[in-house]
Amino acid sequence: MSPARIVVVGSYNRDLALSVARLPGAGETCLATGRAASHGGKGSNQAMQAALCGGSVAMLAAVGDDAAGAAALAMWRQAGIDASAVVSLAGEATGSAIILVDARGENMIVVDPGANSRLAPAHVAAGAGLIAAAAVVAAQLETPVEATRRAFALARQAGAVTLLNAAPAPDAIDDDLLALTDILAVNAVEARALAGDASPERLAATLLPRIGRSLLLTLGARGAVLLRKDAPPLIRPARPTEVVDTTGAGDAFIGAVCARLAECGEMASALDWGLAAGALACAKAGAAASFADRAAIAALA
Ligand code: RIB
């Protein structure tokens, strides 16, 4: 296996998706019209999309020593993802998620982190060799911030680009982690949680000065905006799609951005690939199960 160009530090969850006519309110019970178990977790989903785009990918993650953990390792192996530094923790349950998807394709997700919450800086340090060879190191917020900080510090030493996808939406974000982040990627919900409002002006004034290079704001059907410290904003339109299930569409976007960035270093092209991958992921049910391959993404980008 050639050294990975993209290292993803992040979660794996076993997803259980339940279809509902509409998302329930507080205190309400509703009957599901369908169910599907599949591979998920924001970190793993992003790694899978990057690999489908043709990227060479390594995963730094923690799973339990249970059937779900074994299935995750088998999936990564089959996808050609280097999982040699993934830790399998004795007595720990692999992360899981319950996902409700309504008739319009909108979702609600609750994650039980399990082994993801035990990913430690020492586990990441054991994968330092992988990070040293990477062009892009990506992380999200489903695994401990201390582990991500260690990974990004190693990435900085190696000259790799660090990309933090601030998902799930945090109440606040660690300043040291932001200082080690080159590209911060948020959707409107995450932007509002971090900056109070999701307008590009507000983000440029509050969040952009705290990070290394640029802020990537995704706006669903309205596309994406890249706010840069050293250049005017770059605005790209969304690709047309039929929305069946939005689960994992944001992960498809990030995974494709990482793959394209590692391949050509061009943010504009990376955004186009991300928007194409996100649109294609919306058109099918499931998270990683809905992701398109390189040819389909390149054709829509
Ligand atoms: O972004 C979608 C993912 O969020 C799901 O796969 C679920 O596991 C949660 O991590």
Side-chain angles (χ1 to χ4, degrees):
M1 203 181 257
S2 57
R5 300 289 291 152
I6 302 145
V7 172
V8 179
V9 183
S11 55
Y12 170 85
N13 297 323
R14 184 73 185 153
D15 287 352
L16 174 62
L18 300 175
S19 309
V20 289
R22 62 176 177 78
L23 299 173
E28 190 181 359
T29 300
C30 62
L31 298 182
T33 55
R35 58 179 278 147
S38 61
H39 298 288
K42 295 185 193 303
S44 177
N45 292 343
Q46 293 173 16
M48 291 294 287
Q49 182 65 86
L52 276 167
C53 286
S56 56
V57 183
M59 188 76 205
L60 293 181
V63 296
D65 63 343
D66 51 11
L73 290 165
M75 174 190 70
W76 291 325
R77 249 193 312 275
Q78 202 183 349
I81 293 174
D82 183 342
S84 59
V86 171
V87 286
S88 182
L89 299 171
E92 197 66 61
T94 295
S96 59
I98 304 287
I99 304 176
L100 304 182
V101 183
D102 74 10
R104 294 172 311 155
E106 294 300 333
N107 65 53
M108 269 180 165
I109 303 178
V110 179
V111 173
D112 176 8
N116 294 308
S117 64
R118 299 261 320 275
L119 184 70
H123 298 137
V124 167
L130 292 170
I131 293 175
V136 177
V137 175
Q140 320 72 34
L141 297 176
E142 285 186 335
T143 46
V145 160
E146 301 76 40
T148 303
R149 261 201 318 255
R150 177 68 66 88
F152 279 13
L154 290 166
R156 273 280 164 86
Q157 278 169 25
V161 173
T162 56
L163 184 152
L164 178 67
N165 176 210
D171 293 333
I173 201 152
D174 182 83
D175 264 320
D176 296 337
L177 179 59
L178 280 187
L180 290 166
T181 299
D182 293 316
I183 303 169
L184 179 67
V186 289
N187 64 20
V189 174
E190 292 142 10
R192 270 192 291 275
L194 286 171
D197 108 48
S199 69
E201 296 74 22
R202 169 95 182 151
L203 296 173
T206 57
L207 272 180
L208 190 57
R210 297 167 66 196
I211 56 181
R213 195 197 287 188
S214 54
L215 191 148
L216 184 42
L217 172 66
T218 53
L219 296 166
R222 288 187 293 132
V225 183
L226 182 73
L227 303 173
R228 300 175 283 188
K229 282 190 158 170
D230 54 355
L234 187 62
I235 302 169
R236 294 303 230 222
R239 280 21 181 201
T241 187
E242 178 209 354
V243 178
V244 171
D245 178 0
T246 55
T247 309
D251 299 330
F253 174 86
I254 300 286
V257 164
C258 290
R260 191 65 180 155
L261 196 56
E263 184 175 328
C264 75
E266 287 288 325
M267 259 330 267
S269 176
L271 250 67
D272 289 338
W273 278 54
L275 288 162
L280 291 164
C282 286
K284 280 194 187 166
S290 69
F291 294 172
D293 64 11
R294 180 182 175 91
I297 291 168
L300 193 63

